[in-house]
Amino acid sequence: MSPRPVPVDEVGEPDHETDVLVVGFGCAGAAAAHEARARGARVLVLERAGAPGGSSALSGGELYLGGGTPVQRACGFTDTAEDMFAYLEAALGPHADAAKLRLYCAGSAAHFDWLRDLGVEFQHSLHEAPTWMPLTTDGLMWLGENAWPYAELARPAPRGHRPPVPGPGGRVLMDALVAAVRGAGAVVHVDTRAGALIRDGDRVVGVVARRYGRDLVYRARRAVVLTTGGFVDNERMLADHAPDLLAHGKVSDGLDDGDGILMAMAAGAATRRMAAAQIALTALPALAVRGMLVNARGRRFINEDVYPGLFSIAAVRHQPGPCWVIADEAAYEDIPEPERWGVRPVHVAATAAELERDLGMPDGALRGAVREYNRHAARGADPVLRKSGRWLRPLRAPLAAFDPRLGFAGGARRSAGIGTGAAAFTLGGLRTTPDGAVLDVPGEPVPGLFAAGRASSGLHGDGYVSGTSLGDDTFVGRRASHAGSPAWDPPRGSAGA
């Protein structure tokens, strides 16, 4: 089916009609559907797969929330929206969307309440150590807020909120949201793929979709909300917009092929920051922080206690590869066995000089880096890259090199949707207002059309922190659905409420 919009007078009578039509049933679609129902709108949700969830269900389940949530307070942390904004503006930049970010931070604590009211649970306990996802039921985790330079820009507070499940929590999060949507009375059609928008003049009034081999017309009296995901599974779109992702693994359910973005673009919608992406080396952060992360020339390039997504982007996009985590036996043994994820060294050597030769590094480069690191670590300081003294300790031979592209093993990697190598998903998408209204190329709203989640360009610039997708997706999903509800009103607790 062509993504070109179809004039309303060419589609005939609708097969289904509703107030708000949500296309895609991941976390953004769930938030949009529930909020529209709560405000009195009739809601119909289309999902191309056989069940709800999408890539959200395969995620780690972290939601980046702050500003003084009950979990933060119970764990002894004072937080403000201003500190949250200062950290995220730096970590998600350069070129983060300041207007969307400020609105999200202002409404974050209230958004936590909304999620909890829908049945999303959070344990009041903190996971202290750096990790992609805890193998505990802790409800709060650090995501680089206490690392340099961010700890100097804002008062550090952990803001990674997650459901009480060890390992990936996306399915638990989605189960709660799906139950809330069904309980609110939204109609859901699975195995239904939207292919083109329907327009009445300039206004979007529905979609043509295919279900069980039959084309169906879905009409929306008030709004169509696209929550169809990103485009990491579309090789052609990657080649056009984000070619550096082509060689990497994908974090998705296999259906993030950009169909919603293409439908909207065919109707005149603009896009923003289509090259932006999260690129994650599947390194074990608990090991990297206890050792050294070096590039192909044997040089450190970032403090290893930053959020691992940030050291991944720095490594993949800005350093000569391959990169290596250099550690010793004490560093490896310091990590609890279940949290090693089955990671094994690629090279082990009796000396730094021998390891340097095995890795094909310039003569003296790794030896010099280890010598400098150890000299400062013995004094409990890292004046070069400023890693926290908590993680500093001289590395003692024998030394091992770990390939950061081989960080998750076996079932853990598969359940997280992550393959061998760097894993990626897209962050760019349709250009929208903070309320999710899709904008055309001149910058005017496309009447009747809204978007949220990875189908849209959200908070992010060139950086990424876990939880800023699921958090932003659900927050903007709520706002987008309001515009199609009988009485529009921003979410409680956010700017303008």
Side-chain angles (χ1 to χ4, degrees):
M1 185 183 300
S2 169
R4 291 189 181 90
V6 182
V8 67
D9 57 7
E10 294 183 11
V11 298
E13 291 299 311
D15 296 284
H16 302 278
E17 197 166 6
T18 189
D19 294 329
V20 176
L21 181 65
V22 179
V23 185
F25 201 176
C27 69
H34 187 275
E35 196 78 351
R37 279 296 299 146
R39 292 174 177 271
R42 293 178 60 191
V43 178
L44 199 157
V45 186
L46 305 184
E47 169 55 48
R48 64 185 285 187
S55 296
S56 299
L58 296 178
S59 71
E62 292 86 7
L63 294 134
Y64 199 91
L65 301 164
T69 70
V71 180
Q72 288 180 308
R73 295 196 300 270
C75 292
F77 294 95
T78 300
D79 193 23
T80 66
E82 291 75 19
D83 284 317
M84 180 181 175
F85 175 83
Y87 171 67
L88 286 180
E89 185 181 39
L92 300 184
H95 314 300
D97 190 315
K100 290 180 179 179
L101 184 56
R102 195 172 295 281
L103 192 66
Y104 179 66
C105 293
S108 182
H111 191 52
F112 172 93
D113 294 338
W114 180 83
L115 289 159
R116 187 180 54 184
D117 291 346
L118 261 59
V120 182
E121 298 180 357
F122 304 93
Q123 185 171 295
H124 289 188
S125 58
L126 174 68
H127 185 84
E128 278 277 0
T131 183
W132 284 112
M133 61 187 81
L135 294 180
T136 67
T137 57
D138 295 316
L140 190 64
M141 62 186 293
W142 289 100
L143 292 170
E145 298 92 345
N146 53 353
W148 184 88
Y150 310 105
E152 296 182 0
L153 300 175
R155 178 172 47 183
R159 302 188 186 95
H161 291 67
R162 61 190 322 278
V165 57
R171 172 50 63 187
V172 175
L173 171 66
M174 277 306 307
D175 285 347
L177 294 177
V178 170
V181 170
R182 294 191 186 279
V187 177
V188 180
H189 288 184
V190 297
D191 293 311
T192 307
R193 182 175 184 176
L197 298 173
I198 301 170
R199 284 200 303 198
D200 185 355
D202 292 333
R203 184 175 185 83
V204 173
V205 295
V207 303
V208 177
R210 181 162 293 173
R211 189 182 195 204
Y212 305 138
R214 180 187 170 202
D215 287 342
L216 299 173
V217 174
Y218 288 84
R219 289 288 301 273
R221 285 183 287 269
R222 297 196 175 104
V224 172
V225 184
L226 297 176
T227 58
T228 49
F231 60 95
V232 75
D233 293 310
N234 188 320
E235 297 290 297
R236 181 174 178 178
M237 289 183 72
L238 289 183
D240 287 345
H241 303 290
D244 56 347
L245 303 190
L246 287 169
H248 299 308
K250 305 175 190 304
V251 182
S252 80
D253 65 346
L255 299 177
D256 285 339
D257 59 9
D259 55 354
I261 298 173
L262 293 174
M263 283 191 293
M265 290 175 66
T271 57
R272 179 181 183 272
R273 298 197 58 77
M274 291 288 278
Q278 158 66 331
I279 304 174
L281 288 173
T282 52
L284 189 64
L287 184 61
V289 78
R290 289 170 167 85
M292 298 168 42
L293 182 63
V294 300
N295 62 23
R297 296 172 185 154
R299 307 304 298 175
R300 292 176 71 213
F301 54 90
I302 195 169
N303 46 319
E304 295 86 357
D305 55 346
V306 297
Y307 167 69
L310 296 180
F311 73 54
S312 297
I313 292 171
V316 172
R317 285 192 160 161
H318 305 297
Q319 297 297 317
C323 294
W324 300 96
V325 174
I326 308 299
D328 61 7
E329 185 175 2
Y332 187 78
E333 293 297 330
D334 193 44
I335 304 171
E337 198 280 331
E339 297 181 14
R340 294 175 192 162
W341 295 98
V343 170
R344 296 289 184 269
V346 176
H347 298 276
V348 178
T351 66
E354 181 183 336
L355 187 60
E356 178 182 272
R357 288 193 297 271
D358 291 345
L359 299 175
M361 293 176 175
D363 184 44
L366 183 61
R367 279 176 284 170
V370 172
R371 184 167 55 250
E372 180 182 52
Y373 181 89
N374 284 349
R375 179 166 61 90
H376 294 306
R379 302 172 183 170
D382 179 16
V384 179
L385 294 175
R386 304 192 186 185
K387 179 162 67 176
S388 169
R390 173 184 178 182
W391 303 110
L392 290 173
R393 180 189 56 77
L395 301 177
R396 307 299 184 193
L399 299 176
F402 296 81
D403 188 339
R405 298 168 299 175
L406 307 176
F408 294 138
R413 178 170 61 241
R414 289 191 297 272
S415 64
I418 297 173
T420 299
F425 58 88
T426 56
L427 297 172
L430 297 171
R431 189 179 187 95
T432 60
T433 70
D435 295 322
V438 174
L439 301 177
D440 63 16
V441 174
E444 297 297 322
V446 178
L449 186 61
F450 300 82
R454 296 282 57 85
S456 65
S457 177
L459 308 173
H460 306 87
D462 290 346
Y464 181 79
V465 173
S466 280
T468 54
S469 273
L470 297 182
D472 177 44
D473 293 356
T474 50
F475 184 78
V476 178
R478 294 174 61 198
R479 297 186 66 85
S481 71
H482 295 172
S485 301
W488 186 86
D489 184 29
R492 57 193 174 90
S494 64

